[in-house]
Amino acid sequence: MKALMFGWEFPPHILGGLGTASYGLTRGMAEQKDLDITFVIPKPYGDEDQSFLKIIGACHVPVVWKDVSYQQVEQTLGGIMHPDEYFHYRDRIRYDFTRIGTNDIGCIEFSGRYPDNLLQEIGNYEAVAGVLAHSLDVDVIHSHDWLTYPAGIFAKQITGKPLVIHVHATDFDRSRGQVNPTVYSIERRGMDVADHIICVSDLTRRTVIEKYHQDPRKVTTVHNAVDPIPHVEQFVKTPRKEKLVTFLGRITMQKGPEYFVEAAAKVLQRTRNVRFVMAGSGDMMQAMIDLVAARGIAGKMHFTGFLKGKQVTQMLADSDVYMMPSVSEPFGISPLEAMQVGTPSIISKQSGCAEILSHAIKTDYWDIDAMADAIYAIVEYPSIYKTLSEEGRNEVNQITWDKAGLKVRAIYDMVINNS
Amino acid sequence: MKTICLYFEVHIPYVLKRYRFFEIGNDHYYYDDFACEDRVRYLAEKSYLPANKILLQLLNNYPQFCCAFSLSGAAIEQLEQYAPEVIDSFQALAETGRVEFLAEPYAHSMASLYDADEFERQVERHAAKIKELFGKKPSSFRNTDFIYSDEIGEKVASMGYKTILMEGAKHVLGWRSPNYVYQHAYMPKVRLLARNLVLSNHITFHFSDSSWSEYPFTADKLMDWLQSSPQEEQLFNLWMGYETFGDVQKDWTGIFEFLRAIPMLSPRYNVGFVMPSMVKEEPVASLSAPYPVSWQGEEKDLGIMLGNALQEEAVKKLYSVTERVNLCKEKNLKRDWLHLQCADYFRFMSFKPTWGNTFESPYDAFINYMNILSDFLLRVEAEYPTSIENEELNELLKTISNQEKMIEQLEKELKVAKKKKKEA
């Protein structure tokens, strides 16, 4: 079976959870030996792991026919794509995309990020999908998140093959309800056209059914999983006297950082043997610094700024408690990562991952008392720390991508049989 | 003649209120009165009162009928407070003389596993309360959740109870049937009765389960089964929580009619009734239980109450202050001490499925309990600081009490001397 996937990010160059999830899922699905995955992203850097799938960069696919020489193509593509492949696509251009600005070999430039002209970039990506749909032999099309829905729809219209869309987040999660109508209409159209919709949690599934008015029979939850951390044993806790409670993520409205600060203030009224860390950056950072000052806990609350890669894992391993008070989190991979290094997690019930974790403490995001209580308990009562740490690690090690991959495969089989 | 031994457990744990850590040291009241009252009234109206009414009718109509109860301290206290008419109805049952009330640890505690003295105190306290309410001191014993081991059996026997009720757990009975009388592993005079857990569970859990192969369960069917059992099996111990009638099995399932029909049909099948202390049969063998068993969970061991690190920490912290609390004089502290020992609170911290849990997760149950316990320990600490060793404390208290006696004596002498002086 051949699957054509449209994504926006792929490790190692990632900007958010989407890239990690895309990698994990495709990697898990590659365990099924009869499945060929072609993964399209706007702009590859050439250092992506292609051992288990084929990556196509949208910026290397010609959309406008140009009479160019082999050498010229080879030079421009810089070894990331083979010139033969380029000519294969070039000879199958069926539409006139000259309105789009292209380079000398007829390819579109992509930023591969989330630029201001994002909508234009989405449209360009759609054009590339048109060329690919005419060039490739596929059985099923799979679009990850709203940016790639138009591409998926176009490919479906051309090939007549079933389209599966994967909802990693909706605009309702990102905006706390202040939905952008343009984004909504793109999302809505993708869901309407799709043969099946995969959601990363039941929470997201409910949003899709209730806010996007989809038929529940067409919407299935496939929970995300987590990849094992390489050399996890090297991340050990640095011994220290005081306990460490950590918030890690973008400091934005969606993540509920103010609830973390308020809970910290409550805990510090009672016990001084604990420090709080807010790692990450975001548009609410200044507001949080002000709030910390107003609560008079600046001496106990530390802002580290943006962390990446191993720093993140080390920070998690050093913590005694990891907190994710997200107001709305379609899935939320970070508590699973914390649990992988044996750090107890407190998560909001409004997070998708709460649906599959039993060895984490779950509270409502607004329930500061409950969060403070849980922090206090973990730092004061040794057995709850030990149990959450050990049982949590065992639990999270069972949540693997190959299981999620099998669920996605079952959906593929279903939509192919139905079409 | 085959006989049925009916026994019902009446226990209602106090509902602990939501107790956050910032209340530690400030708030010394731990119970959700509204939820307690709600639960007690519900059980009284749906289960206890209608069931007691039926039992009283049965006792009046069928002279061969009898049954047994045990009421936990928490149940008695809460019934007295919120549904005193239930106590009255139990007293009416007791007056027939054919209802036996068993002894158990007053606090529905696991003290038998941790502190023999505390255990004894609670059993004595419970027995006294039962005598006060129902006019008769209990003569048979059943432990909290039927926790039993050879050691506990020995301890219970030393308190004067010759009949002990236990769970008919497979790993103790082995190939043996629960429908005989057994004896303690090394004290032949101590009689053990084992619950017939299959039949008992059919009533409690399968009665209205239409997917069960034997559904519907009727009194006729029960009698048929008893009759068709091997001739030598004479005693059928049907023991269950009293809330089986009207709560676990709602009234519309016909559970009350089932209860009513049992004594009605019994003469036809030549089946009689017996109370635990009236069981006549001689023991057929001894049962050895080196490790404690209980009626909880699938494993019938302590796994549900004490199977994980959370439960262990909580129970160890609790029983670390037994001696100190017993030195204390403060009434409220002593009352809380008993309430906090209730085994249900530990059961709620289990990762295994367990009934009646009001907490969202084992962690939630643990956090709430530990916060309350922390406050309780602070109060004990305030009375008798932990910086003083227990023995030292005992010595000091002894000195004080000796000095008091001495002062008394000296005062007496002084009086006498003064009198003499006056006379002189």
Side-chain angles (χ1 to χ4, degrees):
Chain A
M1 185 188 289
K2 294 191 184 70
L4 175 62
M5 283 195 192
F6 293 102
W8 205 259
E9 296 179 19
F10 203 80
H13 302 276
I14 55 169
L15 301 155
L18 180 61
T20 319
S22 302
Y23 175 82
L25 179 66
T26 48
R27 173 122 212 174
M29 291 178 73
E31 300 280 316
Q32 303 160 35
K33 293 299 169 211
D34 59 337
L35 189 66
D36 286 328
I37 301 170
T38 306
F39 200 94
V40 186
I41 50 172
K43 186 182 177 181
Y45 289 80
D47 53 354
E48 287 83 7
D49 177 9
Q50 296 206 40
S51 58
F52 57 94
L53 48 45
K54 178 178 164 52
I55 285 183
I56 296 177
C59 61
H60 301 140
V61 177
V63 294
V64 175
W65 200 94
K66 294 263 164 94
D67 189 10
V68 285
S69 69
Y70 194 93
Q71 279 78 14
Q72 195 184 350
V73 171
E74 197 168 22
Q75 234 168 29
T76 316
L77 292 181
I80 296 180
M81 188 197 272
H82 197 279
D84 286 349
E85 199 180 335
Y86 168 87
F87 288 111
H88 178 78
Y89 297 138
R90 193 197 63 169
D91 297 344
R92 283 163 183 79
I93 296 172
R94 301 287 170 86
Y95 309 108
D96 180 12
F97 287 120
T98 45
R99 61 180 166 81
I100 303 172
T102 56
N103 62 11
D104 332 334
I105 60 166
C107 297
I108 310 166
E109 298 287 346
F110 282 92
S111 73
R113 306 176 65 88
Y114 300 95
D116 292 336
N117 63 340
L118 188 59
L119 290 174
Q120 191 191 345
E121 202 149 279
I122 292 169
N124 293 349
Y125 192 68
E126 188 182 2
V128 172
V131 175
L132 290 173
H134 279 295
S135 317
L136 300 170
D137 175 28
V138 299
D139 298 307
V140 63
I141 302 152
H142 189 154
S143 282
H144 291 277
D145 244 14
W146 70 282
L147 304 150
T148 73
Y149 295 167
I153 294 168
F154 199 20
K156 173 184 159 122
Q157 285 165 342
I158 292 166
T159 58
K161 300 295 181 188
L163 169 67
V164 174
I165 66 161
H166 208 125
V167 185
H168 294 264
T170 67
D171 210 44
F172 285 89
D173 303 307
R174 288 182 288 261
S175 64
R176 266 199 202 177
Q178 304 291 314
V179 177
N180 177 334
T182 315
V183 176
Y184 180 88
S185 70
I186 294 175
E187 289 180 323
R188 177 69 196 268
R189 184 160 165 264
M191 293 177 195
D192 286 346
V193 174
D195 294 270
H196 209 85
I197 302 166
I198 297 176
C199 297
V200 292
S201 64
D202 292 332
L203 197 79
T204 313
R205 183 171 179 267
R206 274 197 297 281
T207 311
V208 167
I209 293 168
E210 285 162 15
K211 307 279 192 200
Y212 295 84
H213 312 289
Q214 297 301 311
D215 183 348
R217 284 171 298 182
K218 204 175 112 172
V219 195
T220 306
T221 301
V222 176
H223 285 108
N224 279 350
V226 63
D227 272 312
I229 296 175
H231 310 294
V232 66
E233 65 286 347
Q234 76 186 33
F235 297 102
V236 288
K237 199 184 290 296
T238 323
R240 58 162 63 76
K241 264 194 199 150
E242 289 174 311
K243 307 282 183 180
L244 215 55
V245 183
T246 303
F247 170 102
L248 198 151
R250 282 177 292 119
I251 305 180
T252 60
M253 197 166 62
Q254 186 196 345
K255 304 289 178 188
E258 67 270 39
Y259 303 104
F260 177 71
V261 177
E262 297 289 4
K266 288 230 169 201
V267 174
L268 287 168
Q269 282 171 13
R270 181 100 213 168
T271 171
R272 302 303 292 174
N273 184 32
V274 52
R275 283 184 184 278
F276 293 84
V277 173
M278 197 174 242
S281 56
D283 56 14
M284 278 180 74
M285 184 142 167
Q286 192 53 49
M288 288 307 107
I289 293 172
D290 294 344
L291 183 62
V292 166
R295 292 285 173 273
I297 54 171
K300 288 282 187 178
M301 173 74 80
H302 308 272
F303 291 84
T304 64
F306 185 77
L307 301 179
K308 57 182 183 181
K310 281 189 178 176
Q311 287 178 317
V312 172
T313 317
Q314 190 55 50
M315 185 73 240
L316 291 174
D318 271 332
S319 307
D320 294 276
V321 185
Y322 173 70
M323 243 183 93
M324 188 178 77
S326 291
V327 174
S328 177
E329 190 73 64
F331 187 78
I333 204 91
S334 55
L336 281 74
E337 290 169 345
M339 288 160 78
Q340 282 182 312
V341 289
T343 300
S345 292
I346 302 172
I347 57 182
S348 70
K349 287 180 190 167
Q350 290 71 23
S351 313
C353 62
E355 292 162 16
I356 54 164
L357 295 175
S358 56
H359 292 287
I361 295 186
K362 300 170 219 173
T363 72
D364 284 304
Y365 71 85
W366 43 261
D367 197 347
I368 299 159
D369 286 357
M371 278 182 233
D373 210 11
I375 296 171
Y376 180 83
I378 297 171
V379 300
E380 289 290 323
Y381 310 133
S383 67
I384 191 169
Y385 172 83
K386 184 167 163 274
T387 309
L388 282 168
S389 172
E390 289 170 5
E391 298 292 331
R393 197 194 290 250
N394 290 341
E395 180 172 46
V396 81
N397 286 342
Q398 302 298 314
I399 304 171
T400 54
W401 277 112
D402 56 321
K403 291 176 195 159
L406 287 172
K407 288 182 197 159
V408 173
R409 176 60 186 272
I411 290 166
Y412 285 180
D413 291 340
M414 186 181 70
V415 293
I416 289 171
N417 286 334
N418 287 349
S419 63
Chain B
M1 190 164 81
K2 291 181 189 286
T3 51
I4 296 175
C5 175
L6 279 175
Y7 152 78
F8 309 111
E9 178 199 57
V10 179
H11 169 57
I12 319 166
Y14 279 93
V15 180
L16 297 178
K17 73 174 178 189
R18 172 59 69 196
Y19 194 95
R20 299 289 185 205
F21 72 99
F22 32 81
E23 285 149 38
I24 299 171
N26 303 325
D27 183 358
H28 307 315
Y29 194 76
Y30 309 141
Y31 317 100
D32 184 339
D33 288 342
F34 182 80
C36 289
E37 179 170 359
D38 195 49
R39 181 78 187 141
V40 172
R41 287 304 321 174
Y42 170 84
L43 286 172
E45 278 156 28
K46 295 286 176 199
S47 173
Y48 302 163
L49 287 172
N52 276 358
K53 197 172 153 198
I54 289 169
L55 286 182
L56 190 60
Q57 285 168 1
L58 294 175
L59 288 159
N60 289 335
N61 294 345
Y62 303 97
Q64 83 280 16
F65 183 69
C66 59
C67 64
F69 280 96
S70 77
L71 281 67
S72 73
I76 295 172
E77 287 175 11
Q78 290 185 90
L79 287 171
E80 281 177 336
Q81 191 173 356
Y82 300 120
E85 66 272 33
V86 177
I87 300 282
D88 293 345
S89 68
F90 275 118
Q91 281 167 337
L93 294 182
E95 273 162 25
T96 66
R98 278 179 284 131
V99 174
E100 181 180 356
F101 288 88
L102 309 182
E104 66 168 49
Y106 187 85
H108 198 81
S109 70
M110 297 187 284
S112 53
L113 301 165
Y114 288 92
D115 196 307
D117 294 338
E118 176 67 23
F119 176 55
E120 189 170 345
R121 272 193 295 274
Q122 287 184 17
V123 175
E124 276 168 8
R125 179 171 175 158
H126 183 260
K129 185 74 190 175
I130 293 297
K131 177 135 201 302
E132 178 197 322
L133 285 176
F134 305 113
K136 210 174 157 203
K137 201 173 168 294
S139 54
S140 299
F141 178 85
R142 79 116 209 177
N143 201 358
T144 309
D145 291 333
F146 291 111
I147 297 172
Y148 176 83
S149 69
D150 294 342
E151 201 186 328
I152 293 170
E154 188 181 346
K155 176 73 192 163
V156 172
S158 76
M159 290 186 264
Y161 296 95
K162 294 293 174 235
T163 306
I164 303 173
L165 282 66
M166 65 179 287
E167 173 69 339
K170 277 260 155 54
H171 53 283
V172 174
L173 284 174
W175 54 270
R176 299 182 192 91
S177 149
N179 307 330
Y180 292 94
V181 178
Y182 293 95
Q183 67 190 32
H184 186 274
Y186 44 82
M187 302 175 77
K189 284 202 175 142
V190 180
R191 297 152 68 80
L192 299 177
L193 306 183
R195 185 169 89 110
N196 187 318
L197 67 99
V198 176
L199 283 180
S200 305
N201 284 351
H202 283 337
I203 299 173
T204 306
F205 299 112
H206 303 146
F207 183 75
S208 62
D209 175 6
S210 55
S211 64
W212 178 42
S213 61
E214 295 293 340
Y215 180 85
F217 194 25
T218 59
D220 274 301
K221 197 171 269 179
L222 175 69
M223 292 295 165
D224 263 340
W225 286 349
L226 299 193
Q227 221 174 25
S228 59
S229 63
Q231 190 51 45
E232 302 75 35
E233 297 189 1
Q234 290 289 327
L235 178 66
F236 295 86
N237 294 317
L238 305 184
W239 303 343
M240 62 208 80
Y242 202 26
E243 65 281 351
T244 295
F245 303 94
D247 178 29
V248 182
Q249 301 296 337
K250 306 289 184 228
D251 59 352
W252 47 261
T253 62
I255 190 76
F256 288 116
E257 282 65 34
F258 176 83
L259 177 64
R260 223 188 289 257
I262 294 173
M264 200 174 80
L265 293 175
S266 63
R268 203 184 301 165
Y269 290 85
N270 195 25
V271 169
F273 293 90
V274 70
M275 298 185 286
S277 55
M278 296 294 172
V279 172
K280 295 265 164 16
E281 283 87 357
E282 281 307 305
V284 291
S286 62
L287 287 184
S288 164
Y291 305 105
V293 293
S294 85
W295 74 344
Q296 289 289 356
E298 285 293 312
E299 292 88 357
K300 305 293 173 202
D301 56 11
L302 300 178
I304 294 250
M305 293 94 93
L306 296 165
N308 66 38
L310 304 178
Q311 294 162 325
E312 245 166 66
E313 182 182 351
V315 82
K316 282 204 177 123
K317 257 200 178 155
L318 175 70
Y319 282 111
S320 68
V321 292
T322 315
E323 285 176 319
R324 270 150 214 282
V325 176
N326 283 304
L327 296 171
C328 292
K329 293 273 178 331
E330 204 208 321
K331 277 240 168 82
N332 274 334
L333 193 75
K334 292 209 144 177
R335 170 190 130 102
D336 291 333
W337 165 245
L338 289 174
H339 292 170
L340 290 181
Q341 290 184 60
C342 183
D344 300 79
Y345 304 142
F346 301 95
R347 195 160 55 77
F348 296 159
M349 298 174 200
S350 174
F351 293 114
K352 296 171 183 170
T354 178
W355 57 273
N357 197 343
T358 48
F359 291 95
E360 281 179 25
S361 72
Y363 296 112
D364 194 26
F366 173 80
I367 293 173
N368 208 57
Y369 184 83
M370 289 305 282
N371 289 342
I372 289 174
L373 186 58
S374 302
D375 181 73
F376 178 79
L377 295 178
L378 283 180
R379 286 162 64 198
V380 177
E381 171 92 21
E383 292 264 319
Y384 295 116
T386 39
S387 52
I388 309 170
E389 288 291 315
N390 275 337
E391 280 117 51
E392 202 181 329
L393 195 61
N394 267 333
E395 284 304 309
L396 289 173
L397 286 173
K398 208 183 264 173
T399 319
I400 292 171
S401 95
N402 284 348
Q403 277 172 344
E404 262 170 15
K405 273 182 204 152
M406 179 105 64
I407 291 168
E408 232 169 77
Q409 205 186 339
L410 289 174
E411 268 176 357
K412 234 183 236 167
E413 279 176 25
L414 194 66
K415 240 182 219 167
V416 174
K418 272 184 184 167
K419 223 180 192 178
K420 268 186 190 165
K421 202 181 164 193
K422 231 182 231 170
E423 279 167 14

